[in-house]
Amino acid sequence: MSAYEIHALRYAKSGRRDVRENFLNLDPGMDLHEAETPLDYFVWLIEGEGRTILVDTGFNEAAAAARKRTLLVNPAEALSRFGVEPDAIQDVVITHLHYDHAGNLDRFPNARFHIQDREMAYATGRHMCHRALRTPFAVEDVVHMVRHVYAERVVFHDGEAEIAPGITLHRVGGHSDGLQVVRVPTRRGPVVIASDAVHLYANMNRQNPFPIVFHLGDMLEGWRTLERLAGAPERVVPGHDPRVTEIYPKARRGTGEAWALHEDPTG
Ligand SMILES: [Zn+2]
Ligand SMILES: [Zn+2]
């Protein structure tokens, strides 16, 4: 049975956010520390079985300035600090095409990009005529991915797919129509990199969605899918929760900020 290591590499942070920016419903039982939490931004590195797979590519300095986020380090540089050169990456999974997951597409010259059919259709189709749905995308990232299609560097998936022994992709949609999550076998059992299927632990625990939604029903069903795929809620890793950096052990290598998700959380 294959077992991989997964590290979350933090590359950016937001400021403290209003409760309405983190939760769709105003829940009177929520404590403000939880409700107004800032977001952290990560890319995820999977290693093992002779493979090095990057999940998402983050954003760059220009995007950070445009959206008033604090870029700590370009994700490509974060990889280098961790000891992995960007040109050594052969596979990049793009969970979805939002700006904070699909920038830097020029930084991985030897990679092929795994994406769901429906994400590409969504990001280039009629729904992008609506500002409310378009806002989390950056058109240049989408155009860049189209160029990769024409250069035969994109691998399309429709629903479920195995991209390396035991590593599977699963479309859940909801937040973005073609959002996919990644299930990775590790020594503590299957870990699911949820990306934006779960922004914060509290979104899933309180069944209170993050307010960027394409299809609410798919988002809610997606949480059940995640628990089924992981087999235990503590093996679902949310995409933007600063608590990840508090409860997982810090990586024992590299000079940057990374946390080992294949090890049991301590908090
Ligand atoms: Zn997103
Ligand atoms: Zn995101």
Side-chain angles (χ1 to χ4, degrees):
M1 169 93 179
S2 312
Y4 297 85
E5 295 195 343
I6 314 170
H7 286 93
L9 276 56
R10 180 164 65 184
Y11 72 90
K13 297 176 80 62
S14 78
R16 195 177 174 89
R17 294 161 60 89
D18 185 88
V19 58
R20 285 172 195 80
E21 296 178 284
N22 288 338
F23 296 94
L24 189 60
N25 303 314
L26 286 179
D27 179 349
M30 226 181 288
D31 78 82
L32 280 186
H33 179 73
E34 178 180 85
E36 297 185 345
T37 179
L39 301 185
D40 276 354
Y41 296 79
F42 303 94
V43 297
W44 299 271
L45 187 69
I46 304 168
E47 296 169 291
E49 307 286 319
R51 317 247 181 169
T52 307
I53 299 169
L54 181 66
V55 178
D56 288 341
T57 53
F59 54 73
N60 64 14
E61 186 61 61
R67 303 213 184 218
K68 298 188 171 59
R69 306 284 186 257
T70 305
L71 187 75
L72 303 169
V73 57
N74 185 286
E77 172 63 21
L79 272 180
S80 297
R81 290 182 188 177
F82 190 70
V84 174
E85 289 310 315
D87 59 11
I89 301 286
Q90 289 173 334
D91 291 281
V92 173
V93 175
I94 297 294
T95 62
H96 62 307
L97 284 166
H98 284 170
Y99 84 97
D100 55 324
H101 298 261
N104 298 304
L105 292 177
D106 56 336
R107 300 293 294 267
F108 305 94
N110 300 313
R112 51 194 190 148
F113 297 88
H114 298 265
I115 192 169
Q116 291 281 325
D117 287 327
R118 282 175 71 160
E119 186 64 5
M120 200 63 171
Y122 179 55
T124 54
R126 65 190 301 142
H127 291 300
M128 295 304 104
C129 300
H130 300 288
R131 190 166 67 93
L133 296 173
R134 185 173 71 226
T135 300
F137 294 89
V139 64
E140 292 309 325
D141 297 338
V142 177
V143 168
H144 210 127
M145 190 59 90
V146 172
R147 293 190 191 285
H148 285 335
V149 172
Y150 276 66
E152 298 185 17
R153 294 182 61 198
V154 175
V155 184
F156 283 99
H157 300 288
D158 178 15
E160 256 181 58
E162 185 175 41
I163 59 164
I167 300 180
T168 48
L169 309 180
H170 306 261
R171 177 197 163 265
V172 298
H175 167 74
S176 186
D177 194 34
L179 174 65
Q180 59 185 349
V181 302
V182 189
R183 182 180 191 266
V184 184
T186 73
R187 59 175 177 258
R188 71 173 175 119
V191 169
V192 175
I193 301 170
S195 181
D196 288 1
V198 183
H199 280 70
L200 302 166
Y201 283 107
N203 292 123
M204 191 162 72
N205 292 344
R206 293 180 174 279
Q207 299 281 297
N208 192 344
F210 194 83
I212 298 177
V213 185
F214 173 65
H215 190 302
L216 185 55
D218 282 356
M219 178 179 275
L220 300 174
E221 287 292 320
W223 293 340
R224 295 188 179 173
T225 302
L226 292 172
E227 291 214 17
R228 177 175 58 76
L229 290 171
E234 62 270 20
R235 289 200 299 265
V236 175
V237 181
H240 289 282
D241 200 322
R243 283 195 61 215
V244 166
T245 68
E246 295 160 11
I247 66 177
Y248 281 98
K250 270 211 144 182
R252 287 182 291 269
R253 57 186 259 210
T255 57
E257 290 193 304
W259 290 267
L261 305 181
H262 51 282
E263 294 182 19
D264 283 318
T266 51

